[in-house]
Amino acid sequence: MSTTDSPTFDGIFDTEVVGRWQAPGRVNLIGEHTDYNDGFVLPLAIDRATTITVGRRNDRLLRASSSFEPGVVHEASLDALDPATLDGWSAYVFGIAWALAKKLPEVTTSDDVAIDLSEAFGLDIFVDSDVPVGAGLSSSAAIECSVAVAMADLWNLDVTRPFLASVGQYSENHAVGAPTGIMDQSASLLGRADSAVFLDCRSLDAEVIDLGFAPASLELLVIDTRVEHAHATGGYVERRASCEKGAAALGVTSLRDLDVSDLERAESLLDDETYRRVRHVITENQRVLDTVRTLRESGPGAIGALLDASHVSMRDDFEISVPELDLAVSTAQSTGAVGARMTGGGFGGAAIALVPSDSRETVTAAVLEAFAAAGYREPTIFAVHAADGAHRLEG
Ligand code: ADP
Ligand code: MG
């Protein structure tokens, strides 16, 4: 294949296309490492998405190919779905079918939520995406949610979007093996244009919150440092363990059960490191609530200090920032951003900066210059806009 040829469905599969589905990546406006602590998050679906083109097969095979790995076709049978045999990125696709057919005791008390896939037909799935991988914008949820809505539509499944979010999370946890929360899938499935999704990760109640960025002439810049993060193996697992340790020592099921009035007790009972981890989660939950209230009462121009404080907490208390993220944030803050913070799991990935539209170029140029002066790899900087969640494409 020449380098100018992009792979397409037709170049790989010979079944008839029955539809195309799209699911967005997301950025988290605020609420970091709060999801697995049963807390609050405020992500938005973005105008970067995974698009899948799907063909219907007459057998029970699932096949998947991606522009991400041109020419390679992965295969799995609906009659023998087993996470142990799923290869590489195809686990993000086939894992959804596997998770649909599982009972999901974690997300429901009902016994009969396992979806019956005995009548389901096979699918050819071609995956294409403009969500950068590993930048903290959840290319993983974009792929999972595009597949989940396509399967639900094509197999006529009577399921809700919150249920599909749980299926995506279950698949990512058990088929892929990444211990992530439910935020990414919820944003990708429930997002709305110029809005964020305020999610209570304990009750799974989700509320769409008007951001009002466009009318306020504000834009959200993503500064992808291109420093790679490793979710499943990195400090993420350690941070999760610290949170569990802190909750156990403080006698609660999860850190969600604590608020800022518990900080003094936490400080007296915990070692310094665990205390700082716990303080991040407690104060970050409060910042999410404050951001929602501020958006409603005063509009988006007033949330900058909350974004800034979130970054400080991740840098100093949770210790998941890296020098590149700190530089992106401080440079944006000093050149016109309303507020800025690292976003995503940490240890690399992206920062976000809320900027007046007319400062966008100044901030972008300043960050590029600061990175060059520091000898860091050139970051990728682009604006994102809050977009609608997963949907079937017309035509
Ligand atoms: P992110 O922060 O982007 O979600 P993850 O490590 O959670 O990072 O997920 C990235 C992984 O998702 C990739 O390594 C790949 O396995 C899978 N993935 C994402 N987008 C695609 C795609 N377009 N085609 C195939 N696999 C993809
Ligand atoms: Mg991911």
Side-chain angles (χ1 to χ4, degrees):
M1 185 187 299
S2 86
T3 50
T4 51
D5 282 343
S6 308
T8 61
F9 182 94
D10 291 338
I12 297 156
F13 299 117
D14 51 15
T15 43
E16 194 186 329
V17 172
V18 288
R20 296 194 308 140
W21 284 259
Q22 192 169 69
R26 62 99 187 94
V27 290
N28 191 18
L29 186 61
I30 196 160
E32 220 65 75
H33 287 260
T34 45
D35 60 351
Y36 55 80
N37 287 300
D38 281 353
F40 304 109
V41 292
L42 191 63
L44 48 126
I46 58 174
D47 49 351
R48 293 283 189 124
T50 292
T51 303
I52 59 168
T53 307
V54 185
R56 179 185 175 136
R57 300 179 58 84
N58 294 321
D59 56 19
R60 298 263 295 161
L61 274 187
L62 297 175
R63 298 199 299 166
S65 189
S66 168
S67 54
F68 172 100
E69 193 186 24
V72 174
V73 178
H74 294 273
E75 205 171 278
S77 166
L78 275 169
D79 296 312
L81 286 170
D82 174 0
T85 63
L86 299 180
D87 242 10
W89 63 264
S90 77
Y92 289 91
V93 177
F94 304 145
I96 298 296
W98 172 78
L100 278 169
K102 295 281 294 180
K103 292 193 167 99
L104 298 179
E106 288 85 350
V107 297
T108 173
T109 51
S110 163
D111 254 359
D112 41 36
V113 288
I115 306 289
D116 180 8
L117 296 183
S118 61
E119 301 291 312
F121 46 83
L123 305 170
D124 284 339
I125 300 174
F126 179 74
V127 180
D128 197 16
S129 181
D130 66 0
V131 187
V133 170
L137 301 181
S138 207
S139 65
S140 56
I143 185 168
E144 289 155 8
C145 295
S146 61
V147 170
V149 288
M151 287 177 175
D153 282 355
L154 284 168
W155 292 338
N156 259 321
L157 309 180
D158 183 17
V159 290
T160 62
R161 289 202 165 212
F163 177 81
L164 289 181
S166 299
V167 165
Q169 183 199 9
Y170 192 83
S171 171
E172 188 151 344
N173 291 170
H174 301 285
V176 175
T180 54
I182 199 169
M183 164 170 70
D184 302 357
Q185 295 82 5
S186 301
S188 185
L189 287 159
L190 303 172
R192 285 273 171 268
D194 209 13
S195 305
V197 178
F198 173 38
L199 181 71
D200 177 336
C201 298
R202 170 167 277 171
S203 66
L204 301 186
D205 285 346
E207 197 180 343
V208 173
I209 306 289
D210 190 16
L211 284 171
F213 288 174
S217 296
L218 290 173
E219 278 188 288
L220 202 57
L221 276 189
V222 171
I223 304 162
D224 176 7
T225 63
R226 297 161 78 201
V227 176
E228 283 184 22
H229 70 85
H231 247 180
T233 53
Y236 183 94
V237 175
E238 270 170 45
R239 296 304 183 279
R240 241 183 126 130
S242 290
C243 292
E244 279 162 24
K245 181 177 160 192
L250 292 162
V252 291
T253 321
S254 82
L255 296 180
R256 159 66 181 279
D257 297 311
L258 305 173
D259 63 32
V260 286
S261 68
D262 294 298
L263 284 173
E264 216 175 279
R265 185 168 67 95
E267 188 172 18
S268 67
L269 286 175
L270 303 173
D271 63 86
D272 175 62
E273 184 182 281
T274 310
Y275 171 61
R276 286 183 294 111
R277 306 294 188 249
V278 166
R279 181 166 65 181
H280 165 72
V281 174
I282 290 176
T283 58
E284 186 77 351
N285 273 327
Q286 187 60 48
R287 281 186 289 271
V288 176
L289 298 174
D290 291 347
T291 302
V292 170
R293 184 177 40 76
T294 304
L295 282 167
R296 286 185 172 134
E297 290 174 2
S298 316
I303 67 169
L306 290 161
L307 302 179
D308 296 347
S310 172
H311 186 76
V312 170
S313 180
M314 285 186 284
R315 185 190 63 199
D316 299 345
D317 277 356
F318 221 57
E319 294 181 283
I320 54 172
S321 190
V322 292
E324 289 86 344
L325 286 167
D326 293 338
L327 184 64
V329 166
S330 62
T331 307
Q333 285 165 338
S334 63
T335 55
V338 167
R341 59 184 283 274
M342 55 154 285
T343 185
F347 310 103
I352 51 171
L354 185 61
V355 299
S357 300
D358 58 10
S359 299
R360 177 176 159 180
E361 276 165 31
T362 314
V363 172
T364 302
V367 173
L368 287 171
E369 201 179 311
F371 270 58
Y376 295 155
R377 189 173 175 193
E378 186 176 284
T380 309
I381 307 177
F382 52 93
V384 291
H385 303 94
D388 284 338
H391 55 280
R392 187 174 192 154
L393 294 173
E394 301 295 324

